[in-house]
Amino acid sequence: MKEGYYSVYTKQDCIFCTKTLQLLAEQRKEYVVVECTEGSKNLISVQETYRWETVPIIFHISDGKKYFIGGYQQLEEFLN
């Protein structure tokens, strides 16, 4: 399942967002960034749907399906 790409919801000046993108780049994973602002409808919707309050919010997209991973720490575990 680890093939495919990652969708990462981020906010500007977020240390863990930066670390997430660095980790994905180091491991040569494809990813798209969804830049959000505080209070954006897109971010609020994802946070409510997946009950995840912080960013980054990371998904793995594979075979046309979207799998919720979580945040930076969960991504590290997922990739190992």
Side-chain angles (χ1 to χ4, degrees):
M1 176 175 99
K2 293 190 182 183
E3 300 202 18
Y5 68 96
Y6 297 83
S7 178
V8 184
Y9 287 73
T10 67
K11 288 195 302 190
Q12 196 171 20
D13 299 324
C14 165
I15 293 170
F16 284 101
C17 297
T18 301
K19 288 177 74 165
T20 294
L21 301 180
Q22 288 172 342
L23 177 61
L24 290 170
E26 286 169 4
Q27 295 208 9
R28 299 177 190 234
K29 304 295 184 184
E30 290 186 41
Y31 62 90
V32 295
V33 176
V34 180
E35 182 71 37
C36 300
T37 57
E38 190 68 41
S40 72
K41 290 181 184 179
N42 198 14
L43 179 59
I44 291 170
S45 174
V46 171
Q47 287 175 320
E48 289 176 353
T49 300
Y50 293 92
R51 296 182 181 161
W52 199 264
E53 295 181 16
T54 60
V55 290
I57 301 173
I58 306 161
F59 296 93
H60 184 248
I61 315 299
S62 180
D63 297 326
K65 295 180 182 173
K66 183 177 185 177
Y67 301 95
F68 175 70
I69 293 177
Y72 175 76
Q73 204 168 12
Q74 291 74 23
L75 177 64
E76 278 188 314
E77 293 169 9
F78 180 79
L79 292 174
N80 291 326

